Amino acid sequence: VPVNAPGVRLYPRRPFALQATNAFDYPLSSRFDESDSYVVFDNVFVPWERVFIYRNIQLSREQWFKTPSHALGNHQAQVRYVTKLRFMIGLAQRMNEMTGNVGNPAVQTLMGELAALVSVYETMLLAHETVGRIDDKGVLWPSVTTLYSAMALQSELNGRMLETIRELTGSAMITLPSSLKDFENPETAGDIERYMRWPRAGGRERVKLLKLLWDALGSEFGSRHLQYEMFYAGEPSAIQGREFRSFDWAAAEALVDHCLAGYDANSP
Ligand SMILES: Cc1cc2nc3c(=O)[nH]c(=O)nc-3n(C[C@H](O)[C@H](O)[C@H](O)COP(=O)(O)OP(=O)(O)OC[C@H]3O[C@@H](n4cnc5c(N)ncnc54)[C@H](O)[C@@H]3O)c2cc1C
């Protein structure tokens, strides 16, 4: 249906790119803002050749679960998410290298936990494929038990990972020059080079990295990403319900039966 069809109305949120004056100050908002819109269809004409399902609730539901579409759609979302996690942990590690804290045992403990969580998501991604099955038409159905378990924990673990990066960063993401223009004046540029450097990074290099970190974590763009990872696939309890329905309860309870059958009141 064309977006200008009578009755179609789009309500986009405010674009973040409008405030993002240049790529140095807002490297992500200025280039990668993905508009979200609320769409109203008010008595819109939809030609029959564009209608796939009509008043058939069962087919509407089964298109997602009797085909691999729900699993494949969410699997690609995990491919995206794992790439983003690698980028985020890379940013944190680069900061530690620049500050010189990379060898600090306390920092290594936090980064070790972060690396463990990122590795869990990387290996879960492999598990969706290796535990999945190929049907008689040669189509891969990712394993939904492993897929939904990664998704079910995402809203909690994503926030925890970002919290760790914020803890490592401290106030440094805030105490920054307001814009690229501060590098144009020799006086302010001199201050930045002299006072805003890190042991292993000059002022401009440090400011550049911290502005990228802020845009990834703290700006409107970064904050929208946090909300996105919590809710893009629907509310977390709905995903936990999917995991509940796909988990192999029989295998777990078979172990309990085996144990229960191994003793009784007369057992020594
Ligand atoms: C940034 C972002 C981008 C997204 N992009 C897409 C996309 O491109 N495509 C897509 O399909 N989906 C997308 N999603 C997911 C999609 O927006 C949600 O799945 C969908 O909006 C859920 O609708 P809902 O009405 O079930 O819940 P919500 O829109 O979350 O509404 C729930 C409402 O219930 C209220 N509420 C909560 N608790 C209570 C209570 N105890 N009593 C009364 N009210 C309560 C809340 O305040 C809220 O108003 C995105 C989500 C986010 C966050």
Side-chain angles (χ1 to χ4, degrees), residues 243-261:
E243 179 64 5
F244 178 84
R245 290 187 290 279
S246 72
F247 189 74
D248 188 353
W249 296 108
E253 290 191 51
L255 291 174
V256 177
D257 287 336
H258 180 71
C259 179
L260 288 172

Side-chain angles (χ1 to χ4, degrees), residues 75 78-79 82 86 119-132 140 142-143 146:
H75 175 65
Q78 289 291 306
V79 172
V82 164
R86 280 190 202 134
S119 296
V120 163
Y121 273 90
E122 286 185 346
T123 45
M124 287 303 280
L125 192 57
L126 295 176
H128 310 162
E129 295 165 11
T130 51
V131 186
L140 173 76
S143 149
T146 52

Side-chain angles (χ1 to χ4, degrees), residues 36 224 227-228 231-232 234:
D36 304 294
R224 182 250 178 211
Q227 205 71 4
Y228 181 86
F231 294 110
Y232 76 92

Side-chain angles (χ1 to χ4, degrees), residues 17-161:
L18 288 182
Q19 285 92 337
T21 35
N22 61 70
F24 185 88
D25 288 321
Y26 291 98
L28 304 177
S29 314
S30 63
R31 297 179 298 156
F32 302 112
D33 189 17
E34 169 195 15
S35 273
D36 304 294
S37 283
Y38 196 98
V39 185
V40 171
F41 278 71
D42 182 8
N43 206 19
V44 175
F45 172 70
V46 181
W48 277 112
E49 63 269 23
R50 305 274 168 84
V51 176
F52 296 101
I53 300 172
Y54 182 66
R55 295 199 171 184
N56 187 336
I57 293 172
Q58 190 183 357
L59 192 59
S60 180
R61 186 181 184 285
E62 288 181 351
Q63 67 179 320
W64 302 108
F65 302 103
K66 289 237 164 143
T67 73
S69 45
H70 195 259
L72 286 173
N74 283 291
H75 175 65
Q76 71 78 28
Q78 289 291 306
V79 172
R80 168 203 65 80
Y81 182 53
V82 164
T83 309
K84 180 170 158 184
L85 287 181
R86 280 190 202 134
F87 176 67
M88 297 300 289
I89 198 172
L91 277 180
Q93 183 67 352
R94 177 60 53 84
M95 176 181 69
N96 297 332
E97 285 163 6
M98 286 180 165
T99 57
N101 285 335
V102 71
N104 179 321
V107 169
Q108 287 183 355
T109 302
L110 285 175
M111 288 301 290
E113 189 195 346
L114 206 55
L117 290 169
V118 174
S119 296
V120 163
Y121 273 90
E122 286 185 346
T123 45
M124 287 303 280
L125 192 57
L126 295 176
H128 310 162
E129 295 165 11
T130 51
V131 186
R133 67 184 175 87
I134 295 175
D135 69 14
D136 54 6
K137 295 182 189 65
V139 176
L140 173 76
W141 291 57
S143 149
V144 288
T145 309
T146 52
L147 170 65
Y148 294 151
S149 58
M151 290 168 67
L153 295 175
Q154 191 170 343
S155 67
E156 183 197 330
L157 294 182
N158 185 69
R160 191 160 134 199
M161 289 188 260

